[in-house]
């Protein structure tokens, strides 16, 4: 049984549409945008007919960067960098889902992810850490070799659902100005507006 870590952003939403995991899980770990991520993921799963779960664990006192109210940690390549975040999210999902028989946790990393916890070596290592433990869960990042626009095209993600997606890092409603919102707009422009121009 497959599960997907879902933030409601373009990457995880497109993966949900493409691979239709049995369970999509959204984690409120104390990030500022948690309510927006949950609302988007919940609406998207409902529209796509997928099961949606929520985990809530307040780790806000341990975070840093723009997804919190504290300055970025040294070495941050982007404002939203939260040290060791992905290994924590994968572990929390595994804790909840292993007893239910989940054997694979998918993560929505893409080729443009800049931090070490979005790259191949990290996913190989996390896969090894989880798969040697009870439950033998595997960790995969099916879109790791492609960009967000390529993923949107490959997954045939419907334009009608774009309005439900949410990528903001700094507010529970899309601010339109942070790195997450700007990347969201760029990718949607690149895929759907070009498609629209071709049709006109
Ligand atoms: Zn924003």
């Amino acid at each position: 049984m497959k599960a997907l870590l879902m933030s409601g952003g373009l990457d995880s939403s497109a993966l949900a549409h493409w691979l239709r995991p049995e369970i999509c899980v959204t984690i409120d770990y104390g990030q500022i945008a948690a309510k927006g991520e949950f609302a988007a993921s919940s609406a998207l799963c409902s529209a796509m007919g997928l099961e949606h779960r929520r985990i809530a664990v307040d780790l806000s006192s341990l975070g840093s960067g723009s997804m919190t109210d504290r300055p970025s940690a040294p070495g941050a390549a982007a404002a939203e960098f939260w040290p060791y975040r992905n290994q924590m999210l994968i572990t929390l999902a595994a804790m909840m889902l292993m007893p239910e028989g989940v054997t694979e946790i998918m993560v929505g990393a893409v080729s443009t992810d800049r931090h070490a916890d979005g790259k191949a070596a990290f996913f190989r290592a996390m896969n090894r850490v989880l798969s040697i433990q009870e439950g033998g869960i595997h960790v995969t990042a099916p879109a790791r070799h492609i960009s967000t626009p390529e993923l949107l095209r490959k997954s045939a993600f419907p334009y009608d659902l774009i309005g439900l997606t949410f990528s903001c890092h700094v507010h529970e409603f899309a601010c339109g100005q942070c790195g997450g919102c700007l990347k969201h707009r760029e990718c949607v422009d690149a895929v759907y507006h070009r498609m629209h121009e071709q049709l006109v």
Side-chain angles (χ1 to χ4, degrees):
M1 183 159 52
K2 294 185 181 191
L4 169 72
L5 285 182
M6 185 159 179
S7 67
L10 295 174
D11 301 328
S12 58
S13 302
L15 271 184
H17 185 262
W18 177 24
L19 300 174
R20 299 197 61 80
E22 278 85 357
I23 299 174
C24 296
V25 58
T26 301
I27 306 182
D28 175 347
Y29 49 96
Q31 73 277 37
I32 290 172
K35 280 186 185 165
E37 292 185 14
F38 179 76
S41 300
S42 177
L44 284 157
C45 285
S46 173
M48 293 188 281
L50 296 171
E51 183 175 340
H52 185 225
R53 304 279 189 85
R54 174 174 182 260
I55 297 175
V57 183
D58 186 5
L59 296 168
S60 56
S61 64
L62 301 174
S64 56
S66 63
M67 299 179 82
T68 72
D69 55 7
R70 274 185 299 283
S72 295
E80 70 274 13
F81 177 57
W82 179 314
Y84 309 111
R85 187 188 69 144
N86 285 355
Q87 69 191 65
M88 178 264 296
L89 297 181
I90 291 165
T91 301
L92 291 173
M95 284 178 178
M96 182 175 81
L97 299 172
M98 179 276 230
E100 299 188 35
V102 164
T103 52
E104 180 178 336
I105 293 176
M106 302 189 288
V107 182
V110 291
S111 61
T112 51
D113 283 358
R114 285 182 283 180
H115 293 108
D117 67 359
K119 295 186 187 295
F122 170 79
F123 289 109
R124 278 198 300 272
M126 278 307 287
N127 180 56
R128 174 99 179 110
V129 168
L130 265 73
S131 63
I132 61 171
Q133 297 177 67
E134 291 80 356
I137 289 181
H138 287 277
V139 178
T140 61
R144 199 187 54 70
H145 299 287
I146 57 178
S147 66
T148 300
E150 287 166 334
L151 173 59
L152 287 167
R153 288 189 196 100
K154 193 176 179 70
S155 66
F157 191 75
Y159 180 70
D160 291 356
L161 296 183
I162 283 291
L164 298 178
T165 61
F166 173 86
S167 302
C168 189
H169 297 145
V170 300
H171 202 281
E172 69 178 274
F173 304 107
C175 76
Q177 295 175 338
C178 73
C181 286
L182 292 177
K183 184 194 164 195
H184 185 278
R185 194 171 66 197
E186 253 173 51
C187 294
V188 170
D189 274 350
V191 177
Y192 299 95
H193 291 185
R194 194 169 300 161
M195 218 189 280
H196 180 68
E197 280 164 16
Q198 284 166 357
L199 289 172
V200 172

